[in-house]
Amino acid sequence: AKHEYNVTSGYLENRLDLFDNKLNVNLSARLDDYSNLGTQINPSLDLLYKFNDAIKFHGLISRSFRAPTFNDLYWPKDSMGEGNPNLNPEKGLSEEVGVEVKINRYLTSGLVYYRSDYKQLIQWSEWTLAKVSQPENVASAVIQGLEFENKIFITDNLELGLDYTFLIAKDTQTHKYLLYQPENKIDAGLKYNDHNGLTIEFKGQFTGIRYGDVANNTKVKSFYVFGLSVAKKFKTGITCFTYIDNLLNRKYQVQSGYPMPGFSFT
């Protein structure tokens, strides 16, 4: 089938530096005019306060809007699913507060709490033998979590990053977890930079158990993957790079039923 809609967007941003640049304020607003969904205006306020050279506080509040995709609206009916042309857009309100502390020359740590409240969240229903999967507007949902970030400067050339995320994402009516939202996630990276254009980075990620159905009866296994990248920037302005994904050729799935690629070299 053929479908179309038109969207016109505009963005306005104002940045203020106050109190000898100790306080940075970012006020912005985005306007989206959809021919099929109407006009949406989403403002945001972002603050950064530098208490001193070692401690920074930041806060954010913003309103969000996400239009349903063409797949959500018009997926042609088959044995597995069907689009829903009556979907409403998602709307949300997000808040975030955090602090970053430079503990010493070797360690910088940060802690962030964030929360997003969504209305009419778009989520595909569970497929059964009696019913095909179809996207629906979940009445409301809350996604909130903590992020703990660490940067360890081993030498002037070698940096270790270690981040942990704890996430709770639930439908506020059923109290069930949202699809494919891991409660635990760990990211780690060891990066070498010789300051002459050569960068070597080894990355790893652990993603915890997620739920693959609305009723939370199907669990998707946790997994970990590693990757390696090498890049060289020459004085001519040319950068050459190579990277390896899934270094250990792990078998894993981000979404149930969709195996991810094994070892790949670019």
Side-chain angles (χ1 to χ4, degrees), residues 4 15 18 27-28 30 35 45 53 63 68 79 83 87 102 126 148-149 156 179 189 197 203 219 236 241 252 254 256:
E4 69 175 37
R15 296 181 180 179
L18 307 173
L27 289 163
S28 61
R30 180 182 174 90
S35 60
L45 172 64
D53 291 338
R63 194 165 63 194
S79 60
L87 285 174
K102 185 178 181 181
E126 183 182 1
F148 182 46
E149 303 175 345
D156 290 340
L179 296 179
K203 286 186 175 183
K219 289 185 178 180
T236 56
F241 68 89
Y252 71 100
V254 176
S256 181

Side-chain angles (χ1 to χ4, degrees), residues 113-178:
Y113 168 76
Y114 58 90
R115 176 186 172 112
S116 295
D117 292 77
Y118 293 101
K119 294 181 179 179
Q120 300 182 324
L121 193 69
I122 297 171
Q123 185 168 276
W124 284 73
S125 62
E126 183 182 1
W127 177 88
T128 65
L129 292 175
K131 181 183 177 182
V132 298
S133 177
Q134 192 172 29
E136 300 171 348
N137 287 107
V138 178
S140 59
V142 174
I143 298 176
Q144 57 183 329
L146 285 170
E147 290 184 356
F148 182 46
E149 303 175 345
N150 295 278
K151 290 183 180 179
I152 303 170
F153 302 95
I154 301 172
T155 67
D156 290 340
N157 303 93
L158 195 61
E159 176 185 329
L160 174 65
L162 187 60
D163 305 334
Y164 169 71
T165 301
F166 175 73
L167 178 71
I168 296 178
K170 287 187 175 183
D171 184 317
T172 56
Q173 286 193 339
T174 64
H175 303 291
K176 299 291 186 179
Y177 287 92
L178 300 181

Side-chain angles (χ1 to χ4, degrees), residues 30 37 40 44 50 87 102 143 165 197 224 240 261:
R30 180 182 174 90
L37 298 171
Q40 304 290 332
S44 68
K50 302 170 186 174
L87 285 174
K102 185 178 181 181
I143 298 176
T165 301
Y224 62 88
C240 296

Side-chain angles (χ1 to χ4, degrees), residues 9-245:
S9 301
Y11 186 76
L12 178 66
E13 183 177 33
N14 292 281
R15 296 181 180 179
L16 303 174
D17 298 321
L18 307 173
F19 308 116
D20 295 326
N21 206 29
K22 277 194 169 185
L23 176 63
N24 305 127
V25 181
N26 193 340
L27 289 163
S28 61
R30 180 182 174 90
L31 182 146
D32 296 283
D33 182 53
Y34 285 78
S35 60
N36 61 336
L37 298 171
T39 302
Q40 304 290 332
I41 299 176
N42 295 294
S44 68
L45 172 64
D46 192 359
L47 304 172
L48 174 66
Y49 181 73
K50 302 170 186 174
F51 188 78
N52 52 41
D53 291 338
I55 302 175
K56 299 178 183 177
F57 296 95
H58 78 269
L60 167 71
I61 182 169
S62 65
R63 194 165 63 194
S64 61
F65 158 85
R66 189 179 80 85
T69 66
F70 274 86
N71 278 346
D72 293 333
L73 294 168
Y74 308 120
W75 184 271
K77 186 175 181 179
D78 56 25
S79 60
M80 298 296 291
E82 179 183 14
N84 181 359
N86 299 315
L87 285 174
N88 294 313
E90 296 178 357
K91 294 182 180 181
L93 181 66
S94 299
E95 306 95 18
E96 179 180 303
V97 291
V99 58
E100 180 182 290
V101 180
K102 185 178 181 181
I103 299 173
N104 53 46
R105 58 176 294 189
Y106 302 105
L107 176 62
T108 298
S109 296
L111 184 64
V112 176
Y113 168 76
Y114 58 90
R115 176 186 172 112
S116 295
D117 292 77
Y118 293 101
K119 294 181 179 179
Q120 300 182 324
L121 193 69
I122 297 171
Q123 185 168 276
W124 284 73
S125 62
E126 183 182 1
W127 177 88
T128 65
L129 292 175
K131 181 183 177 182
V132 298
S133 177
Q134 192 172 29
E136 300 171 348
N137 287 107
V138 178
S140 59
V142 174
I143 298 176
Q144 57 183 329
L146 285 170
E147 290 184 356
F148 182 46
E149 303 175 345
N150 295 278
K151 290 183 180 179
I152 303 170
F153 302 95
I154 301 172
T155 67
D156 290 340
N157 303 93
L158 195 61
E159 176 185 329
L160 174 65
L162 187 60
D163 305 334
Y164 169 71
T165 301
F166 175 73
L167 178 71
I168 296 178
K170 287 187 175 183
D171 184 317
T172 56
Q173 286 193 339
T174 64
H175 303 291
K176 299 291 186 179
Y177 287 92
L178 300 181
L179 296 179
Y180 304 117
Q181 299 290 333
E183 191 173 62
N184 297 285
K185 187 177 178 183
I186 299 174
D187 290 281
L190 185 63
K191 185 176 182 180
Y192 172 80
N193 189 334
D194 71 349
H195 304 300
N196 291 315
L198 176 64
T199 302
I200 303 172
E201 188 168 12
F202 177 76
K203 286 186 175 183
Q205 183 184 88
F206 168 82
T207 300
I209 292 173
R210 289 91 61 223
Y211 289 98
D213 65 326
V214 176
N216 290 177
N217 293 323
T218 303
K219 289 185 178 180
V220 184
K221 291 182 180 180
S222 60
F223 65 87
Y224 62 88
V225 289
F226 295 99
L228 179 66
S229 64
V230 180
K232 172 65 177 178
K233 184 175 182 179
F234 297 93
K235 292 182 179 179
T236 56
I238 294 175
T239 299
C240 296
F241 68 89
T242 182
Y243 59 85
I244 297 173
D245 288 324

